[in-house]
Amino acid sequence: MTYDVPQRPRRNRKSASVRGLVRETHLTPGHLIFPLFVMDGESRRDPIASMPGIDRVTEDHALREVEEALSLGVTSFVLFPAVEDTLKDDRATYGLSKDNFYLRIAKAIKSRFPEAWLMSDVAMDPYSSDGHDGVVQSGQIVNDLTLPILADMAVVQAEAGFDSIGPSDMMDGRVGVIREALDVAGHVDTGILSYTAKYASAFYGPFRDALESTPKHGDKKTYQMDPANRREALREADLDMAEGADMLMVKPALCYLDVIMALKEYSDRPIAAYNVSGEYAMLKAAAEKGWIDHDNAMSEMLLSIHRAGADVILTYFAKEFAQLHKTWQG
Ligand code: PBG
């Protein structure tokens, strides 16, 4: 017996083939950016306890990581430096030194794999003895003393061959100052992927373990955004667009899908989202305990970020997703 049910959406879910036919969102490895934690030295990989599967790597291993990712269809990368404590100071001097290992590794990657798209991180925290993204004076993060440091850092990175600069510091006015410095130095083709709406999030914990960059005092709430705010992200987007950002990023991703969607509707720039270290760690931990199906949960997370409006996703899952992508049906 049947009821009079005039609409039966289940018809479009009857088989894998019809589901494939009507699927609205497709995520491919080409949408992903794979973050690499790099360090000085040779032939070393140090595991990061809170990020199973992700290591800090020396140049030779970084080249191997890039080669492997490229073979899987992941063609974009962002590099973060794990700097020895002894090289850190209150002005992030090592980040501006032209012969630092971070720039050397970027050059090595671009010369071996010119087809790879490479993004930098611009912020003081990996090089700062305070662990903050700006200059600290009397316990305050001083915006305008930080701007020239960020601009100088961006220029040495552009010289090293990065395709895009990634300011992750959340100082006011930094995109404009960086754009101008790049143009004056002749780097008109170097892009800026701005961390537009970067929230003061608890989900960065494992990343700070990886770089040993936890702030020595205080927190980042005077520069990173309040997780309670969405409309403020539009204001940041206005500024970044006016100052010359080529892409806008929301970070973290999973708790901020509404912000991703809002920026996608608001802006004509490509939108990126950062599926951050804590989001990665949560899934890895639950999967290790056998409490969740790793591959399906990973695919669902990444697909949801894309569905919400992120054209581009920075994710530690990039290689695993690419491997699975060949067979994943959904
Ligand atoms: C800092 C920076 C952070 C991340 C990227 N760049 C951490 C922070 O703001 O403390 C976090 C990325 C992640 O958690 O995966 N400039």
Side-chain angles (χ1 to χ4, degrees):
M1 91 145 233
T2 57
Y3 288 93
D4 179 20
V5 179
Q7 295 290 335
R8 293 186 185 265
R10 287 187 54 193
R11 287 183 200 122
N12 290 348
R13 301 180 202 134
K14 220 162 89 179
S15 63
S17 57
V18 73
R19 289 194 294 274
L21 205 56
V22 302
R23 183 160 297 130
E24 298 174 37
T25 310
H26 299 269
L27 181 62
T28 69
H31 292 107
L32 306 179
I33 299 178
F34 187 43
L36 293 173
F37 295 110
V38 296
M39 63 182 178
D40 207 0
E42 249 180 84
S43 311
R44 271 179 49 214
R45 331 178 49 106
D46 288 354
I48 302 159
S50 48
M51 300 183 72
I54 302 290
D55 298 334
R56 284 178 288 245
V57 293
T58 52
E59 179 177 324
D60 43 351
H61 284 286
L63 288 166
R64 251 170 263 161
E65 288 282 337
V66 170
E67 186 170 29
E68 193 191 344
L70 287 172
S71 76
L72 290 165
V74 176
T75 57
S76 300
F77 304 87
V78 54
L79 303 185
F80 294 102
V83 178
E84 294 279 341
D85 263 353
T86 52
L87 294 171
K88 298 184 182 180
D89 62 24
D90 62 353
R91 297 285 149 143
T93 313
Y94 188 66
L96 312 181
S97 142
K98 288 192 183 191
D99 54 5
N100 73 36
F101 73 84
Y102 182 70
L103 302 177
R104 191 190 74 225
I105 294 175
K107 281 181 210 152
I109 292 173
K110 283 302 287 188
S111 84
R112 249 294 264 293
F113 306 106
E115 72 277 27
W117 185 89
L118 202 57
M119 172 173 142
S120 73
D121 183 56
V122 171
M124 291 177 62
D125 58 330
Y127 314 97
S128 155
S129 43
D130 296 295
H132 275 289
D133 297 38
V135 173
V136 182
Q137 265 184 357
S138 316
Q140 307 286 316
I141 315 302
V142 187
N143 196 87
D144 292 23
L145 287 180
T146 307
L147 294 178
I149 296 175
L150 300 175
D152 289 351
M153 198 182 284
V155 170
V156 294
Q157 291 175 349
E159 272 165 20
F162 279 100
D163 297 283
S164 185
I165 301 301
S168 68
D169 54 284
M170 289 304 277
M171 295 301 118
D172 292 337
R174 91 278 207 207
V175 171
V177 169
I178 289 172
R179 184 69 269 161
E180 196 189 338
L182 291 174
D183 290 352
V184 167
H187 299 295
V188 293
D189 291 331
T190 307
I192 300 179
L193 193 167
S194 177
Y195 288 61
T196 297
K198 178 174 180 180
Y199 288 88
S201 170
F203 290 92
Y204 308 149
F207 175 98
R208 293 179 190 170
D209 292 346
L211 299 192
E212 293 175 359
S213 64
T214 305
K216 298 282 184 301
H217 57 86
D219 53 40
K220 298 194 173 186
K221 290 180 184 169
T222 67
Y223 46 106
Q224 299 182 346
M225 282 176 56
D226 182 341
N229 294 356
R230 183 177 59 219
R231 293 167 60 240
E232 194 183 351
L234 304 182
R235 184 179 190 200
E236 290 284 2
D238 276 338
L239 295 171
D240 283 0
M241 287 191 285
E243 292 174 30
D246 299 286
M247 301 189 208
L248 309 180
M249 193 203 293
V250 176
K251 176 186 176 187
L254 289 172
C255 292
Y256 300 87
L257 296 177
D258 58 328
V259 181
I260 295 171
M261 191 174 156
L263 285 202
K264 180 58 169 256
E265 284 170 1
Y266 190 65
S267 170
D268 61 1
R269 303 305 143 89
I271 303 299
Y274 201 143
N275 177 215
V276 298
S277 58
E279 299 171 340
Y280 177 84
M282 278 197 307
L283 175 50
K284 288 291 172 194
E288 249 172 41
K289 284 190 174 282
W291 290 349
I292 202 161
D293 178 316
H294 177 274
D295 288 353
N296 283 318
M298 167 182 73
S299 298
E300 190 174 331
M301 279 181 176
L302 295 175
L303 190 70
S304 303
I305 298 167
H306 195 45
R307 189 197 63 233
D311 304 290
V312 172
I313 305 174
L314 290 81
T315 181
Y316 304 98
F317 290 117
K319 280 197 310 187
E320 282 173 286
F321 177 81
Q323 233 140 18
L324 189 71
H325 178 74
K326 296 179 187 146
T327 53
W328 194 61
Q329 289 285 313

